[in-house]
């Protein structure tokens, strides 16, 4: 993880602690402002998340953690998955003024739709979030393009 998270300078909060806070939020699905006091403040974690997402570091971290987890769970397994499962889910959204919000006529729901690609163990490989009225084919293509990158 050293080559993905630089440790060249001193920081008030370690990057490992910030990464743990982001993984905690992803696992719990909790609101960022409700982070336990053991973690750095939410604005700092969110700053690093957006920065890492923009430069591609977040995707590299995820890939590295998935490969490491696959090797630990079954040493004979290849680190990179050969099969991916893609699925979509519509999510209600009450936020106003959001551009990527739509109406899913099938589920009679206003909100967003997320497309996820996971391996057979349920580890996240790629994700795409779009409006709820987006066709599954379009969203599936977007998540597969992210997976290909």
């Amino acid at each position: 993880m050293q080559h993905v998270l630089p440790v060249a300078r001193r920081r008030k909060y370690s990057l490992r602690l910030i990464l743990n806070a982001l993984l905690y939020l992803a696992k719990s699905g909790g609101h960022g402002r409700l982070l336990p006091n053991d973690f750095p403040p939410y604005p700092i974690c969110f700053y690093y998340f957006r920065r890492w997402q923009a430069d591609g570091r977040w995707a590299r971290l995820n890939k590295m953690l998935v490969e490491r987890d696959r090797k630990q769970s079954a040493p004979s397994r290849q680190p990179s998955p050969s099969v991916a499962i893609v699925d979509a889910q519509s999510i209600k959204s009450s936020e106003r003024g959001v551009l990527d919000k739509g109406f899913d006529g099938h589920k009679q729901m206003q909100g967003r739709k997320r497309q996820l690609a996971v391996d057979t163990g349920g580890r996240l490989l790629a994700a795409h979030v779009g409006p709820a009225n987006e066709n599954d084919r379009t969203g599936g293509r977007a998540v597969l393009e992210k997976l290909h990158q």
Side-chain angles (χ1 to χ4, degrees):
M1 205 168 327
Q2 297 277 339
H3 61 282
V4 180
L5 295 177
V7 291
R9 65 185 183 97
R10 295 188 54 149
R11 294 176 167 83
K12 184 174 181 180
Y13 301 103
S14 74
L15 294 180
R16 177 64 176 228
L17 194 58
I18 292 169
L19 177 63
N20 287 343
L22 293 172
L23 292 175
Y24 171 82
L25 286 174
K27 180 78 172 174
S28 68
H31 196 275
R33 297 189 194 326
L34 300 176
L35 266 174
N37 291 333
D38 301 344
F39 294 120
Y42 168 75
I44 292 173
C45 296
F46 187 70
Y47 165 77
Y48 277 100
F49 171 72
R50 293 304 249 171
R51 188 170 155 194
W52 293 344
Q53 191 179 34
D55 69 7
R57 192 173 301 168
W58 185 250
R60 288 194 311 269
L61 278 167
N62 182 55
K63 183 176 187 255
M64 187 182 67
L65 290 173
V66 164
E67 289 175 354
R68 183 177 289 178
D69 188 49
R70 285 176 59 87
K71 285 302 279 183
Q72 285 180 350
S73 66
S76 61
R77 179 180 284 173
Q78 293 292 326
S80 182
S82 59
V83 175
I85 302 162
V86 178
D87 198 9
Q89 180 183 23
S90 294
I91 307 156
K92 277 189 179 178
S93 175
S94 60
E95 296 176 25
R96 296 178 185 252
V98 178
L99 294 176
D100 62 345
K101 190 166 92 168
F103 184 76
D104 185 352
H106 179 68
K107 300 215 176 165
Q108 301 295 313
M109 179 183 306
Q110 179 85 15
R112 297 186 180 113
K113 187 180 281 188
R114 62 180 168 203
Q115 314 271 347
L116 302 177
V118 297
D119 70 352
T120 54
R123 297 171 194 90
L124 181 67
L125 302 175
H128 169 73
V129 178
N133 60 349
E134 182 177 65
N135 190 320
D136 284 345
R137 185 181 312 153
T138 306
R141 186 177 296 129
V143 77
L144 289 176
E145 286 174 2
K146 287 183 180 181
L147 184 61
H148 183 67
Q149 292 172 359

